[in-house]
């Protein structure tokens, strides 16, 4: 086989709490064939790994063991091969507009060369036409790879992606017809009665999204005129508050006696202990989203935010008290709120990070 230039993707290790932009065309694409939730996870994982080099090389490469690790325990090499076969064979239809003219695109998700050896590599490439949408999209969903990894229902994962297209808009509303919603949930011909569809598909999918995602997905039924027939569902996603995010983080309850954080205990979300990480703390993607909203209230543009700067200031303020931090998400946001108030209010000029740190410690 002729040699094709490829780029070996840097191994991501066990930390997946990162986001990447998935183009709206890829989110709304309609596969004309059967794909399961593992197939969708695999496509997102490969796109995430290659995203920074989508156009610099035609072929990308990743260790097979890394792919299997991301997909989770119980996934075998044979399962990976079947997923790649489906992603390579399924027809995908994309509808879009260009300068007011409607277009329909027919593509495959990707091509792949899988080495079945224990230490083998997976070499893959995206369809050239699909690649034009994937590269530097203007409208996209910021997909969190840790969230993607956690989904068990294909309907929940696809609802999650569609909601991400709306959650940060000024008016975060997504109204969709029942027929289109059934296609999103991968049951286009199933559950013709709405009450069955709601009970068996919609409610479980929304509950899974709300458990995993950094936002809450609420929905209302929309009826046709004076009739009681439901024709559309109106989704209104909103970012979770820091308290709601705390509820899904291991050991993050703010009640009861304070315990010293064990730096050797592995975190359920990234599989690493504090001692294994390069810095003191890992701040989640949701932490940065809420920090950006908070900083925006003080006139700081999102594109100008240096998160590392604020995290370094916060960690420096902790000093010897760093070992007592058990909830970095909440405590960083609390510190940032007070820090920004102090920057804009001369009366709070003496309220520095150490004061905030002592206040948190006594809570």
């Amino acid at each position: 086989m002729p040699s094709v230039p490829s780029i070996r993707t840097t191994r991501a290790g066990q930390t997946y709490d990162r986001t990447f932009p998935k183009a709206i065309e890829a989110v709304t694409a309609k596969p004309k064939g059967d794909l399961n939730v593992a197939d969708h996870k695999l496509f997102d994982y490969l796109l995430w790994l290659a995203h920074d080099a989508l156009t610099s090389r035609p072929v990308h490469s990743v260790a097979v063991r890394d792919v299997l690790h991301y997909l989770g325990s119980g996934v075998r090499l044979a399962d990976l091969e079947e997923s790649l076969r489906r992603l390579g064979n399924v027809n995908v239809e994309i509808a879009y507009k260009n300068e007011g003219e409607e277009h329909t695109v027919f593509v495959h998700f990707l091509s792949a060369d899988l080495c079945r050896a224990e230490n083998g590599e997976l070499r893959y490439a995206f369809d050239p036409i699909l690649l034009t949408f994937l590269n530097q999209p203007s409208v996209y969903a910021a997909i969190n790879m840790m969230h993607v990894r956690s989904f068990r229902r294909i309907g929940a994962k696809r609802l999650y992606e569609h909601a991400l297209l709306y959650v940060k808009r000024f008016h975060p509303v997504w109204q969709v017809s029942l027929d289109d919603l059934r296609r999103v949930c991968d049951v286009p011909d199933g559950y013709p009665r709405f009450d069955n569809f709601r009970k068996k598909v919609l409610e479980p999918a929304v509950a899974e999204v709300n458990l995993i995602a950094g936002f809450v997905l609420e929905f209302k039924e929309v009826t046709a005129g004076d009739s009681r027939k439901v024709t559309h569902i109106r989704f209104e996603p909103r970012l979770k508050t820091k308290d709601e995010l705390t509820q899904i983080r291991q050991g993050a309850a703010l009640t009861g006696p304070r315990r010293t954080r064990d730096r050797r205990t592995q975190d359920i979300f990234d599989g690493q202990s504090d001692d294994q990480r390069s810095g003191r703390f890992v701040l989640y993607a949701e932490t940065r989203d809420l920090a950006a909203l908070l900083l925006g209230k003080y006139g700081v543009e999102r594109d100008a935010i240096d998160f590392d700067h604020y995290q370094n200031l916060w960690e420096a303020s902790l000093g010897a008290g760093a070992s007592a931090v058990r909830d970095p998400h909440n405590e960083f946001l609390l510190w940032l709120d007070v820090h920004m108030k102090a920057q804009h209010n001369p009366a709070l000029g003496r309220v520095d990070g150490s004061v905030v740190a002592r206040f948190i410690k006594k809570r």
Side-chain angles (χ1 to χ4, degrees):
M1 179 178 177
S3 177
V4 179
S6 66
I7 181 170
R8 175 65 181 272
T9 305
T10 302
R11 187 176 182 184
Q14 294 182 325
T15 301
Y16 302 115
D17 198 16
R18 305 175 185 175
T19 62
F20 77 97
K22 185 174 182 179
I24 184 175
E25 292 85 0
V27 172
T28 59
K30 300 176 182 178
K32 302 299 181 181
D34 292 330
L35 293 177
N36 60 37
V37 68
D39 302 337
H40 284 270
K41 289 182 182 181
L42 174 59
F43 176 79
D44 284 353
Y45 178 71
L46 296 178
L47 178 57
W48 171 57
L49 289 177
H51 196 270
D52 291 339
L54 279 175
T55 57
S56 60
R57 293 290 182 92
V59 179
H60 310 277
S61 177
V62 60
V64 171
R65 65 177 180 273
D66 289 350
V67 182
L68 294 176
H69 181 272
Y70 177 77
L71 295 178
S73 60
V75 178
R76 305 165 301 165
L77 184 61
D79 300 323
L80 173 59
E81 185 175 13
E82 287 300 314
S83 280
L84 291 170
R85 181 174 289 110
R86 285 188 291 268
L87 289 170
N89 291 332
V90 70
N91 293 312
V92 183
E93 182 178 318
I94 298 173
Y96 75 101
K97 289 185 178 181
N98 183 21
E99 296 181 353
E101 296 181 343
E102 296 184 353
H103 293 249
T104 302
V105 171
F106 303 95
V107 297
H108 297 293
F109 273 125
L110 53 80
S111 302
D113 176 2
L114 175 65
C115 177
R116 298 179 60 85
E118 182 178 350
N119 61 344
E121 290 190 340
L122 167 62
R123 301 168 72 245
Y124 62 97
F126 299 99
D127 184 286
I129 296 181
L130 179 62
L131 189 59
T132 62
F133 297 106
L134 299 178
N135 185 46
Q136 297 181 348
S138 57
V139 179
Y140 60 86
I143 304 295
N144 182 295
M145 293 307 298
M146 182 61 73
H147 295 167
V148 168
R149 193 182 192 216
S150 302
F151 283 112
R152 296 293 178 264
R153 292 179 175 85
I154 189 170
K157 179 183 180 298
R158 298 193 68 188
L159 278 180
Y160 163 79
E161 294 181 352
H162 279 74
L164 281 172
L165 296 170
Y166 297 86
V167 67
K168 294 180 183 178
R169 294 185 181 182
F170 188 73
H171 295 292
V173 175
W174 172 40
Q175 185 162 305
V176 58
S177 70
L178 286 184
D179 288 342
D180 286 342
L181 184 57
R182 286 189 175 94
R183 282 191 286 270
V184 168
C185 294
D186 202 42
V187 288
D189 301 316
Y191 304 100
R193 288 181 44 139
F194 173 72
D195 54 345
N196 289 335
F197 171 72
R198 174 169 179 155
K199 181 178 180 180
K200 299 292 187 180
V201 179
L202 180 57
E203 290 180 346
V206 169
E208 186 170 333
V209 171
N210 290 342
L211 177 65
I212 294 171
F215 58 85
V216 174
L217 188 58
E218 300 170 338
F219 70 91
K220 300 177 182 177
E221 300 168 9
V222 179
T223 57
D226 296 331
S227 72
R228 300 178 64 181
K229 181 179 179 180
V230 177
T231 60
H232 292 73
I233 297 295
R234 178 186 174 96
F235 292 98
E236 298 181 4
R238 63 169 176 81
L239 288 173
K240 286 179 177 174
T241 65
K242 59 184 180 183
D243 290 334
E244 288 171 326
L245 283 169
T246 296
Q247 295 173 9
I248 63 172
R249 299 300 187 194
Q250 184 186 42
L254 296 181
T255 59
R258 179 169 293 278
R259 293 170 295 176
T260 301
R261 183 181 178 91
D262 185 355
R263 298 185 60 81
R264 293 174 296 177
T265 300
Q266 289 187 332
D267 185 85
I268 192 173
F269 285 89
D270 66 10
Q272 293 183 307
S273 67
D274 287 346
D275 287 339
Q276 291 174 313
R277 298 183 179 114
S278 57
R280 274 204 187 108
F281 302 110
V282 173
L283 296 182
Y284 301 113
E286 296 92 339
T287 312
R288 297 192 171 208
D289 285 335
L290 290 171
L293 291 175
L294 189 154
L295 291 169
K297 296 178 181 179
Y298 294 96
V300 181
E301 296 291 336
R302 187 182 185 92
D303 293 341
I305 297 174
D306 183 351
F307 288 103
D308 290 338
H309 167 71
Y310 290 109
Q311 183 171 353
N312 289 338
L313 288 177
W314 169 59
E315 292 182 349
S317 74
L318 296 173
S323 61
V325 174
R326 64 171 181 172
D327 181 11
H329 172 84
N330 274 335
E331 297 187 13
F332 170 72
L333 291 174
L334 177 59
W335 171 87
L336 183 61
D337 190 22
V338 177
H339 173 76
M340 294 307 296
K341 283 186 170 78
Q343 297 296 311
H344 289 76
N345 186 344
L348 297 176
R350 295 185 179 181
V351 182
D352 59 15
S354 61
V355 175
V356 179
R358 289 195 297 272
F359 168 71
I360 293 172
K361 187 176 181 179
K362 292 178 181 178
R363 284 165 52 203

